[in-house]
Amino acid sequence: MPLPPEDASAHVEALAARGAERHFRRGTLIIQEGERGDTLYIVRSGRLRAFIASESGKELTLGLYGPGEYVGEMSLDGGPRSASVEAAEASVCALITRQTLLGYIAEQPDFALDMMARLIRRARLATENARSVALIDVYGRLTRLLDALAGPADAQGQRVLAERVTHQQIASHLACSREMVSRLLKDLQVGGYIATRERRLVLLKPLPARW
C-alpha cells in the first residue's frame, strides 16, 4: 500500500534535506530527453514542466510539478531520460543522487512503496493522455484540461483555474497549435462560458460537451 499523504510528504522533506539546493531561472532546461543521468529533482518552490518534443520542435506537456513533488526518478535505473524537464517558473530544487536515494530507501524501505505508487500514477496518466490525443478531438481535450485545472465552484457556480496558463502552455498540453487554442477560448468567451480575471481563466458555467 502507498504511504498516507502526510507520511509521504515527511519522507520527501527528509530526503530533500540530504540534497544540494539549486536555483533555476524560468525557462531553464533542467533535464534533456535522451541523456543519461542519476539525479532526482525535488521541487522546493516554483514549478517544473515535463515534456517531449518532436524533431520539428512540436512539444507535448506530460505534467507540471510543484513543491513536494519530484522528477527524474525514471532514469535512476541507469537508462536514458524519458522526457525533458524545464523550469516553468523560477524554481528551487533539491538534487538527490542515486546513491543518496538508495541510502535513504535502505533506511526507510517504505518510501520505495511511495515511489512505486507515483510511477504507477504517472504511467496511467501517460496512458490517458495518449488515449486522449488519439481518440478525443481538440475541444474535448481542452474541456478536460480546464476542468482538471479549475478549483471548486463558488456560490455563483463559477470556477477559477488554480494556475495562470498561457495559450501556448495549453497548446502543449493538448498537442495542437496555439492558434487553435486561442480560437476555441475566444469562442467560449463570446458564448459566455469563460472569462479572464487577473490573468486567470474563470469557468462561468459548465462547458458544453460539443462545440
Side-chain angles (χ1 to χ4, degrees):
M1 294 179 61
L3 298 173
E6 60 274 13
D7 292 342
S9 178
H11 276 301
V12 172
E13 286 293 319
L15 182 58
R18 302 189 181 191
E21 281 200 351
R22 286 278 306 278
H23 294 247
F24 299 100
R25 294 181 179 178
R26 181 177 180 272
T28 301
L29 186 64
I30 299 172
I31 293 175
Q32 175 69 58
E33 180 182 358
E35 291 183 347
R36 293 185 179 275
D38 64 350
T39 303
L40 182 76
Y41 295 79
I42 300 177
V43 184
R44 307 295 282 158
S45 65
R47 189 172 49 159
L48 306 183
R49 179 177 77 101
F51 65 96
I52 55 177
S54 67
E55 293 183 358
S56 63
K58 188 175 183 180
E59 296 180 355
L60 174 62
T61 297
L62 302 177
L64 295 170
Y65 305 98
E69 298 182 288
Y70 49 80
V71 298
E73 73 278 10
M74 291 186 68
S75 71
L76 293 175
D77 63 351
R81 299 286 191 182
S82 59
S84 296
V85 176
E86 70 171 6
E89 57 190 57
S91 304
V92 178
C93 296
L95 277 59
I96 310 298
T97 65
R98 183 174 185 272
Q99 183 177 2
T100 299
L101 175 62
L102 293 179
Y104 185 81
I105 291 176
E107 298 172 15
Q108 304 286 344
D110 53 351
F111 180 61
L113 297 177
D114 180 66
M115 293 196 72
M116 289 173 59
R118 292 200 188 204
L119 283 170
I120 291 170
R121 287 196 297 271
R122 290 182 183 180
R124 285 177 174 166
L125 179 60
T127 300
E128 287 301 315
N129 287 341
R131 179 181 294 114
S132 175
V133 170
L135 302 178
I136 304 176
D137 63 16
V138 174
Y139 175 74
R141 301 202 298 272
L142 174 63
T143 58
R144 288 182 59 175
L145 177 64
L146 295 181
D147 186 64
L149 294 178
D154 61 16
Q156 289 73 43
Q158 300 179 0
R159 304 173 64 200
V160 182
L161 265 65
E163 303 174 352
R164 294 176 179 174
V165 289
T166 66
H167 291 193
Q168 183 57 59
Q169 288 172 330
I170 293 175
S172 294
H173 272 284
L174 305 183
C176 69
S177 69
R178 181 182 60 80
E179 290 76 17
M180 180 171 289
V181 169
S182 298
R183 184 168 65 252
L184 287 171
L185 291 179
K186 182 178 180 180
D187 287 346
L188 288 171
Q189 187 170 6
V190 171
Y193 291 96
I194 67 172
T196 302
R197 298 174 186 163
E198 299 180 352
R199 297 173 59 190
R200 294 179 189 267
L201 285 175
V202 181
L203 308 187
L204 302 176
K205 54 186 177 181
L207 301 177
R210 295 286 183 271
W211 194 255

